Amino acid sequence: MIFYPKETGMKIMIFNQKGGVGKTTTALNLGAGLARWGSAPVTLVDLDPQTHLSAAMGFRAETLTWNVSDWLTGSEPTDGHGAKRIADQLCLVPGDCNPKPGRKMERNLDDSTGHLVIDAPPTWNDEVAALMTVCDYVLTPMEPEFLSMQGISRLLQQMKTAGIPWSRLRLLLCRYDKRLAVHREVRDLLTERFGDHLLSVVIRNNVRLAEAPGYGQSIFDYAADSAGAEDYFALVANTLLADDAWLGAGEVSPVC
């Protein structure tokens, strides 16, 4: 089943300054789903020095001779060991555990083929800002907690300072449990304040999502009949089908 007809693809950064919110899980499964059901190849980029995305795909980043630092500078591998092929239409740019300070981005992302899904570190810095500037969307996974909105307010201020339009921001609720009143309340409040910037798709709390990286697999390969696979399929379909709607979302204001 193919949802997305364009071959140029999208550039999506997965970013949140709070760890443990489903950032890498979202990068992995969104990328795997886009490769499976889209019409363009997908490159996963592990920008986080913690290299969790690389580990989730079965690679020990410290043992590799070519990584995201080389990719950013446009350096091609000399030994034939470059981006790692994960599946048909899906490859991984492995992370760098020890990036050099002041690493420069010289690669033109507009020259990339297909979709880019970048798993960013949970830290705002010049490199993140530079990459975010050239991405089409900033997808922020977040837990349905009231304190999470403070982080969104801070991100909006940082985007404004960097000249990045707020229209690129999308919020994704992860580990959602509709039985919990606080989760429902936070979702309602986010909808009121951010409108279409909060995706209608939610990722429910699901143990299979936590297990899959231990086997080096996406949720679609590890547990295709799970709630996690169902939710990430919905996110992939939303992403592929809603490009025009995403672009047309209005501006937002920081949370006071």
Side-chain angles (χ1 to χ4, degrees), residues 34-179:
L34 288 173
R36 184 174 295 224
W37 290 291
S39 63
V42 178
T43 300
L44 290 168
V45 179
D46 190 356
L47 193 67
D48 191 342
Q50 298 179 88
T51 67
H52 288 168
L53 181 58
S54 301
M57 292 285 86
F59 297 100
R60 293 179 56 194
E62 65 273 16
T63 67
L64 304 177
T65 59
W66 185 91
N67 57 41
V68 68
S69 292
D70 302 298
W71 181 82
L72 285 169
T73 61
S75 174
E76 300 300 329
T78 58
D79 55 4
H81 299 289
K84 303 299 181 182
R85 186 177 183 275
I86 305 301
D88 188 33
Q89 294 281 82
L90 180 66
C91 68
L92 168 73
V93 175
D96 185 351
C97 300
N98 298 293
K100 295 179 180 179
R103 181 173 60 182
K104 300 296 183 181
M105 185 184 76
E106 300 175 13
R107 176 176 291 273
N108 184 354
L109 298 191
D110 289 334
D111 292 338
S112 301
T113 301
H115 306 300
L116 281 179
V117 178
I118 301 172
D119 186 19
T123 305
W124 181 271
N125 54 39
D126 290 343
E127 181 175 86
V128 166
L131 280 166
M132 191 180 290
T133 299
V134 295
C135 283
D136 300 307
Y137 307 112
V138 180
L139 179 58
T140 298
M142 58 186 294
E143 292 186 287
E145 301 173 349
F146 288 106
L147 290 178
S148 297
M149 290 188 287
Q150 291 186 350
I152 301 303
S153 179
R154 183 168 64 252
L155 173 57
L156 287 169
Q157 295 287 6
Q158 290 164 331
M159 291 175 69
K160 181 178 180 180
T161 300
I164 302 168
W166 289 337
S167 57
R168 298 181 189 179
L169 180 65
R170 292 297 176 274
L171 308 176
L172 173 69
L173 284 176
C174 295
R175 299 178 181 170
Y176 183 78
D177 188 340
K178 67 179 181 180
R179 297 170 298 180

Side-chain angles (χ1 to χ4, degrees), residues 243-255:
D243 192 38
D244 290 339
W246 280 30
L247 284 171
E251 293 291 353
V252 293
S253 299
V255 180

